[in-house]
Amino acid sequence: MAAFANIGKIPELRQRILFTLGMLLVYRFGIFISVPGADRSVMADYIGQQGGSFLGMFNLFTGGALEQVSIFALGIMPYVSSSIIFSILGIMVPSLRALQKEGEMGQRKINQYTRYGTIVLSIVQGLAMSMAFEGMVSGSGERVVPVDSVWSFRLMAVVCLTAGTCFIMWLGEQITERGIGNGISLIIFAGIVAGLPGALFMTWQQATVGELSPLLLLALAALVVLVVGTIVFFERGQRRITIQYPRRTVGRRVFGGQSTHLPLKVNQSGVIPPIFASSILMFPATLANLGIPFMDDLAATLNAQMWVHNTLYVAGIIFFCFFYTAVTFRPDDVADNLKKQGAFVPGIRPGRKTAEYIDRVMSRITFGGALYVSAVCVLPTFLIQEYNVPFYFGGTSLMIVVGVALDTVQQIEAHMITRHYDGFAGPRGPRIRGRRGGP
């Protein structure tokens, strides 16, 4: 408890945490602001009838905004999709690749392009969502959109949904800049966690009425604990490469000669791959709502309960693990920086050979990390569907929640340590750091 009390003794950290909580509270309030002309009670009944379909998954990632027909119903997915597009273009387009090398100023320009792309995608997805709302009818025959003027509702919905997504994007950027942790990840985290109390209560009710046997409930709890432990184990895992600095003599004093480590995370990309893969698999349903030919069949094939969806989901996770790692971690730059400092990896020549060695090690641990992410995201969901366990959280949501929580706690501890306070583990306990070794 003393470690948590130390948080209040650091004014900057206290302000950052309060600011983050305030922005997340604004986000949660916005969830309950519905698009004019739509009936949220009918929408809740309609989503309840769909079970574990695409709409249920989308509602999960938007924090229940879809169920409320909220102005935040698109969530942060248009921004995520725009980020994917410009990350890929940054490799293919020379002008964007040049901007990436310009440092902070170039990154600001790319971020501006990403915002413009977010607006365009929000307009397209907002139009598709408004058209989908018009066709939704509950089991009692009530319509989500009980209006006769179709285009007036569509125009209003597109404006509201686009503005809602832009506001969420702004909230995420403000949290990243003035709060604690990654704003976009924390918004997704808040949306998922908001449904946890209701999910636990529903599961407990089913257990009390006999719909869920005590043995199955115990197995489910053990599965959740196992998945959380696995996530913590791998998220903290590192492969440490020994770095040696040469000795140099200045007058009568000798400097350098010490040995340190270059830490390479097993899962360098964090929770980005499952978010990116989910975003792409949700896109055909958006196109289907626009009436594009063949998209209805493709969206039905990519249903979350189909084996095709799981196969493509695993492939997408593995691809984005390697892709995002290649974008964010450049062995050539690391090797050049080590060479400029006179440092070297024992037994490896500086320069190109060092870059090749680091790239080879990074590729191996990224492959192991990609398999871990795929297993965590798919296996629990598969078991839940196979045994018909009506539980709210699958592997993807658990990984996002645990991964974001670990990163946020680590940033809070870093703030405490830099101001001479002990971390959460106390003065004699271990810090929240990576494990030695790795796959």
Side-chain angles (χ1 to χ4, degrees), residues 273-287:
I275 294 176
F276 278 14
S278 299
S279 178
I280 289 179
L281 290 176
M282 290 177 182
F283 196 65
T286 301
L287 298 180

Side-chain angles (χ1 to χ4, degrees), residues 221-235:
L223 175 64
V224 172
V225 172
L226 177 63
V227 172
V228 171
T230 302
I231 293 171
V232 174
F233 181 81
F234 278 94
E235 289 299 317

Side-chain angles (χ1 to χ4, degrees), residues 20 109 230 274 313 383:
T20 301
K109 198 70 175 177
T230 302
Y313 188 40
L383 292 176

Side-chain angles (χ1 to χ4, degrees), residues 53-64:
S53 66
F54 158 78
L55 288 178
M57 179 180 295
F58 194 87
N59 188 55
L60 168 66
F61 281 103
T62 58

Side-chain angles (χ1 to χ4, degrees), residues 194-207:
L196 179 59
L200 293 177
F201 179 73
M202 180 187 69
T203 304
W204 177 255
Q205 275 190 326
Q206 292 178 336

Side-chain angles (χ1 to χ4, degrees), residues 40-108:
R40 70 174 70 181
S41 60
V42 178
M43 186 65 177
D45 292 340
Y46 182 82
I47 291 181
Q49 296 168 8
Q50 302 300 309
S53 66
F54 158 78
L55 288 178
M57 179 180 295
F58 194 87
N59 188 55
L60 168 66
F61 281 103
T62 58
L66 183 62
E67 184 178 359
Q68 298 293 329
V69 201
S70 169
I71 58 174
F72 291 168
L74 286 179
I76 200 62
M77 289 306 171
Y79 180 79
V80 173
S81 302
S82 182
S83 300
I84 296 173
I85 293 172
F86 280 98
S87 296
I88 297 175
L89 292 178
I91 298 176
M92 301 172 57
V93 180
S95 58
L96 289 177
R97 188 162 59 247
L99 281 176
Q100 290 178 343
K101 297 180 179 179
E102 292 182 6
E104 185 178 353
M105 294 301 296
Q107 189 59 45
R108 286 183 180 179

